[in-house]
Amino acid sequence: MFCIARGAFAQSALYNAANNYLKKRADAFMTITGYSLTPDVTTGSLSIRNKDGDNSDLQMISLGGGDRISANFPLYLEGTLAVNRYNPTFSDGIGNSSVTVPVHWNSVTGTGGIGWDFPITDELRFRPIANVMLGHLESDLSIASRVIENRKGVDLQFLNGGRMNSYGLGGSVMLDYENYKPDQEIDVELRYTNIGVQTFDTSTAVQGSADSQSLALWARSRIPTPITLLDRPLRAVFELAHTEFLGDLRGALGFNSLSSVGTGIELDRSASDPIFSRVRVVFRYQFGQNVHGTSIGLAASF
């Protein structure tokens, strides 16, 4: 009887330890999605590698943007679509011998925003924005769960066909400065965002919430060059951005902020294509505490 009870207790301890481990990783991934909820050049393309540099532990790619309907109708609309892949290593801490299994989680999130511009001056506007977000996380871990169950006899609830659905409600406030002259065009935005994220229709092992907050400053200058293409001057683009992560995002990936400097070119197609009036290619260098990297951004203005 003692041996049976001891075995049952050990299995229960293994089960709790394993699922607690997964719950922490799921909470971490839910927090990570908070980096991709709004258009932000510092996190639009982000890849973080493990210490050995062989594999990418985290990949984040997002596509987003926003603008007013027109100067006469200052309704502001924005949207962001992000795809993230999280690859923590499930190892040790379960039983007396270690188990190392890649734990791949993939998520898709979409965020929309609607706001209204209130002019302060001819060049400066105050813009409150209401945001809503939907996300889905799916584990491709049925093989991993079977490996761990065979080796340890532990049934992991979330790994076995687990999923996480989330929604977010919140808002942003922005100061938008635009100074457009023939010899130079200047854009500056200062934005604070606060979106609370909750799970719904989700495996009970990984229900939770996250608080996504950020304070971002972005500036861009476009200067015409002597080169003419498509009957319009080719513009040189210079860009600066800095984002301070707040709430649950602060320190979640090992840094509190990210900065970006970039330069590129902008092709004015307004004379030949009224839909995509401008196309930009910007090369960026991004850096923060203990992280740095490069990216290429492609953007189009309508």
Side-chain angles (χ1 to χ4, degrees):
M1 292 294 293
F2 175 76
C3 293
I4 296 175
R6 183 179 179 182
F9 176 80
Q11 289 296 316
S12 177
L14 289 174
Y15 178 88
N16 292 334
N19 280 291
N20 286 340
Y21 177 92
L22 288 176
K23 177 63 167 62
K24 291 179 181 179
R25 294 303 181 271
D27 285 346
F29 192 91
M30 192 170 182
T31 299
I32 287 169
T33 62
Y35 289 90
S36 306
L37 298 186
T38 58
D40 190 334
V41 299
T42 64
T43 57
S45 178
L46 187 63
S47 178
I48 297 178
R49 297 184 179 276
N50 59 25
K51 292 183 295 183
D52 298 329
D54 297 329
N55 299 301
S56 180
D57 290 335
L58 173 65
Q59 291 178 304
M60 302 168 59
I61 300 176
S62 63
L63 175 66
D67 204 352
R68 294 177 296 169
I69 297 296
S70 69
N72 297 325
F73 186 56
L75 178 69
Y76 174 83
L77 299 174
E78 70 176 17
T80 304
L81 179 65
V83 177
N84 299 333
R85 183 168 176 83
Y86 186 37
N87 181 25
T89 300
F90 193 100
S91 63
D92 219 344
I94 305 176
N96 296 323
S97 60
S98 64
V99 177
T100 300
V101 179
V103 181
H104 299 159
W105 295 345
N106 309 280
S107 78
V108 178
T109 60
T111 308
I114 181 170
W116 190 266
D117 284 0
F118 297 92
I120 299 175
T121 68
D122 291 340
E123 300 170 340
L124 182 64
R125 294 181 294 274
F126 173 71
R127 178 180 298 152
I129 307 168
N131 293 111
V132 60
M133 166 267 187
L134 283 176
H136 178 74
L137 165 67
E138 191 77 32
S139 64
D140 53 358
L141 304 177
S142 58
I143 295 177
S145 66
R146 286 197 297 270
V147 170
I148 295 175
E149 185 174 359
N150 289 338
R151 295 187 186 181
K152 299 298 181 181
V154 179
D155 180 19
L156 301 181
Q157 181 179 359
F158 180 65
L159 289 183
N160 190 14
R163 66 186 188 280
M164 178 192 293
N165 295 311
S166 60
Y167 73 93
L169 297 174
S172 308
V173 288
M174 181 190 298
L175 286 174
D176 181 20
Y177 174 81
E178 295 180 356
N179 186 352
Y180 290 177
K181 296 179 180 179
D183 59 338
Q184 187 178 28
E185 297 181 359
I186 299 175
D187 295 276
V188 181
E189 293 178 357
L190 178 64
R191 174 173 181 155
Y192 170 74
T193 299
N194 189 334
I195 301 176
V197 182
Q198 303 278 341
T199 55
F200 72 96
D201 188 26
T202 294
S203 303
T204 57
V206 288
Q207 292 178 356
S209 62
D211 177 26
S212 172
Q213 297 185 53
S214 63
L215 179 64
L217 176 66
W218 170 85
R220 181 173 61 202
S221 174
R222 293 173 289 192
I223 302 174
T225 69
I227 302 173
T228 299
L229 294 175
L230 300 178
D231 298 324
R232 294 288 188 272
L234 184 70
R235 292 180 174 87
V237 179
F238 303 95
E239 185 184 85
L240 294 172
H242 179 79
T243 302
E244 287 285 337
F245 301 106
L246 309 171
D248 292 339
L249 300 187
R250 195 161 185 84
L253 293 179
F255 49 79
N256 297 329
S257 62
L258 282 177
S259 300
S260 172
V261 294
T263 184
I265 56 174
E266 180 180 85
L267 179 64
D268 190 338
R269 306 179 70 246
S270 58
S272 58
D273 188 348
I275 298 178
F276 295 104
S277 60
R278 298 183 180 185
V279 177
R280 287 182 301 278
V281 178
V282 180
F283 299 86
R284 299 185 177 100
Y285 175 71
Q286 296 154 285
F287 57 95
Q289 297 95 326
N290 305 313
V291 294
H292 62 88
T294 58
S295 67
I296 300 176
L298 178 64
S301 299
F302 294 92

